[in-house]
């Protein structure tokens, strides 16, 4: 895993250019693991904006995923749904051609982190989950097992769509 002190973060890219700010955002995330009250809370707002901007991902996205998963695995209190949702969204984007190729130096750590998402979901199985957390955990499980198409569905579900499906309203 690329150290947060490594100068190569400056060579990685996110939507706004060089990813020199990502290590500080990941450090901040270590102390901000609790569920957020809104999508504009930091550091998640900046992480999402930089690493998975309108469904596109970047080289820094792949380097950040192992850190995000590691923080979730080490946290023993309830976590924010973005710990599952952002890695799943990054992998969906990567696998559907919405990002660059993953570098060989990041690939092993990235894939290992994704494979461990199922275990991390299990570590938090006794936390109270709202619908967003449930869908995010399901997307993370799907990514961990290689079912990117299912993960994409989970990431796109919301209460309105679930209600339509339950009423068999397919237009």
């Amino acid at each position: 895993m690329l150290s947060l002190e490594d100068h190569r973060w400056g060579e990685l890219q996110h939507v706004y250019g060089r990813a020199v700010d990502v290590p500080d955002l990941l450090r901040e995330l270590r102390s901000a693991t609790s569920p957020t009250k809104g999508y504009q809370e930091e550091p998640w707002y900046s992480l999402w904006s930089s690493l998975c901007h309108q469904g596109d991902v970047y080289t820094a996205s792949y380097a950040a995923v192992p850190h995000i998963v590691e923080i979730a695995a080490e946290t023993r209190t309830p976590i924010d749904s973005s710990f599952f949702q952002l890695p799943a969204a990054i992998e969906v984007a990567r696998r559907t051609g919405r990002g660059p190729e993953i570098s060989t130096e990041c690939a092993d750590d990235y894939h290992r982190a994704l494979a461990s998402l199922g275990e991390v979901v299990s570590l938090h199985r006794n936390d109270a989950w709202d619908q967003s957390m449930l869908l995010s955990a399901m997307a993370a499980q799907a990514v961990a097992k290689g079912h990117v198409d299912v993960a994409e569905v989970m990431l796109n579900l919301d209460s309105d769509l679930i209600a339509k499906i339950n009423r068999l309203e397919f237009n």
Side-chain angles (χ1 to χ4, degrees), residues 3 11 15 20 33 47 63 65 67 72 77-78 86 92 109 113 119 123 126 135 156-157:
S3 166
E11 298 167 11
V15 70
V20 294
T33 58
L47 286 167
V65 164
H67 291 278
T77 56
L86 183 55
V92 166
D109 293 327
E119 179 63 30
L123 291 171
N126 293 322
L135 294 172
N156 286 311
L157 284 178

Side-chain angles (χ1 to χ4, degrees), residues 4 21 28 31 45 61-62 66 71 82-83 90 96 112 114-115 127 134 141 154 168:
L4 296 180
D21 57 334
E28 186 180 342
S31 59
Y45 183 78
S61 309
Y62 308 139
I71 294 166
S82 283
F83 277 104
I90 289 171
T96 57
R112 205 172 5 261
L114 291 181
D127 297 349
L134 176 63
Q141 288 278 27
M154 293 300 113
L168 303 174

Side-chain angles (χ1 to χ4, degrees), residues 54-114:
Q54 297 180 353
D56 293 329
V57 295
Y58 309 87
T59 55
S61 309
Y62 308 139
V65 164
H67 291 278
I68 294 167
V69 174
E70 179 183 75
I71 294 166
E74 293 174 351
T75 303
R76 297 294 176 246
T77 56
I79 60 173
D80 190 76
S81 61
S82 283
F83 277 104
F84 299 138
Q85 190 177 29
L86 183 55
I90 289 171
E91 178 63 357
V92 166
R94 184 186 78 82
R95 294 273 302 275
T96 57
R98 304 225 30 208
E101 291 294 319
I102 188 166
S103 70
T104 54
E105 67 183 350
C106 287
D108 287 344
D109 293 327
Y110 175 80
H111 292 298
R112 205 172 5 261
L114 291 181

